[in-house]
Amino acid sequence: MIVLSLFDHSGIAVEPWAAAGHECLCFDKEHATFSSHGNVAFIPADLDPGAEGWTVVRAVLRRPGRKLVLGWPPCDDLTASGAKHFAKKAEKDPHFQARAVRRATLVAEEAEAAGAAWLVENPIGRLCTLWRKPDAIWDPFQFGGYLPEEEEHPEWPRYIAPRDAYTKKTGAWFGGGFVFPEARPVTPEILERETKSGRIIRGSRQFMRLGGSSRKTKLIRNLTPRGFARAVFEANMEARE
């Protein structure tokens, strides 16, 4: 199996596949240079519509063997959390959302053309209307049961609840024989914090601590939930055995 993970800067989505011995390629322009770690290669690639990165992706898709294509296109121009900036963005570029949608649809089209199973993930937002409704809607906590009990996030435990016990309404678009996994939910984490005005805010540590627009917070917010990555692996390995 060759697993292509597009718009993927962390490699979390392919970790279970790599551990099982499959070749994994992560494409993203966040990668400064080519690097590899075990069965995972990180490839610098601009995957905007018409960009050269797609030439490399197509070359891999032409190779013999079974393929799985996972797509995690940027959501900044499509989700409700970014809606307050849409008018200003449209002034600068009237086609900014069309380009954002095209990043997602290209994943599906290139995978379908190659006969590969595919998944596109994006938070619920404009992609649901500008492309089509998702095939499934899920939250990270619904797949936390695929992770060991009490396990903390290995890199960002301050920001991400143990076992992905947080909510984030997310869409999944898929095809080509991709199998959407069964849920194994855990109880979502609920913390409380009092604002200066005395109002009580409730939510996960992700919600409480990952506000703002810094590069660090954006990268953490966009990390693939590890439970979902494991669930996708188990469901699709079983389907292909």
Side-chain angles (χ1 to χ4, degrees):
M1 178 81 74
I2 301 174
V3 182
L4 298 85
S5 194
L6 311 183
F7 306 98
D8 185 351
H9 70 274
S10 72
I12 291 173
V14 303
E15 286 178 356
W17 298 93
H22 300 280
E23 180 182 359
C24 302
L25 306 173
C26 297
F27 297 81
D28 196 83
K29 60 185 177 183
E30 289 287 340
H31 305 312
T33 59
F34 174 87
S35 63
S36 61
H37 306 279
N39 293 325
V40 183
F42 295 92
I43 301 170
D46 183 351
L47 297 177
D48 278 349
E52 275 300 309
W54 287 104
T55 302
V56 183
V57 170
R58 293 180 189 115
V60 175
L61 288 172
R62 286 195 296 269
R63 290 169 51 186
R66 293 180 299 168
K67 318 287 192 316
L68 172 65
V69 181
L70 307 173
W72 320 89
C75 62
D76 308 56
D77 295 336
L78 296 168
T79 57
S81 60
K84 62 183 179 182
H85 304 296
F86 287 172
K88 186 173 290 186
K89 287 182 177 182
E91 288 178 7
K92 294 181 179 179
D93 177 8
H95 306 293
F96 80 101
Q97 281 191 325
R99 251 195 302 278
V101 172
R102 187 65 182 139
R103 293 185 190 107
T105 59
L106 271 170
V107 176
E109 290 175 14
E110 296 294 344
E112 289 280 358
W118 60 273
L119 163 74
V120 170
E121 177 269 5
N122 223 244
I124 293 300
R126 296 298 303 278
L127 194 59
C128 302
T129 54
L130 296 176
W131 182 19
R132 64 175 176 82
K133 292 181 178 179
D135 297 292
I137 297 174
W138 57 281
D139 284 277
F141 79 87
Q142 292 178 294
F143 298 94
Y146 285 86
L147 300 174
E149 289 189 24
E150 307 302 325
E151 183 182 66
E152 292 194 335
H153 196 279
E155 191 171 2
W156 302 108
R158 171 172 164 75
Y159 301 102
I160 299 177
R163 304 182 84 193
D164 295 334
Y166 64 94
T167 59
K168 182 181 181 181
K169 198 64 68 180
T170 306
W173 294 257
F174 49 85
F178 178 87
V179 178
F180 192 78
E182 293 185 7
R184 293 183 192 170
V186 297
T187 303
E189 176 182 72
I190 302 294
L191 305 178
E192 290 189 355
R193 178 168 61 87
E194 186 175 353
T195 66
K196 292 181 179 179
S197 64
R199 188 165 63 94
I200 301 297
I201 297 176
R202 296 179 176 85
S204 69
R205 67 189 71 183
Q206 181 121 339
F207 173 77
M208 297 286 194
R209 298 169 180 167
L210 286 178
S213 58
S214 72
R215 181 176 180 273
K216 175 184 174 181
T217 57
K218 283 185 176 181
L219 289 178
I220 298 173
R221 280 200 304 260
N222 292 335
L223 289 176
T224 304
R226 293 176 307 122
F228 183 68
R230 183 76 204 177
V232 165
F233 167 74
E234 291 189 13
N236 287 274
M237 272 304 300
E238 182 178 342
R240 284 157 178 74
E241 288 178 347

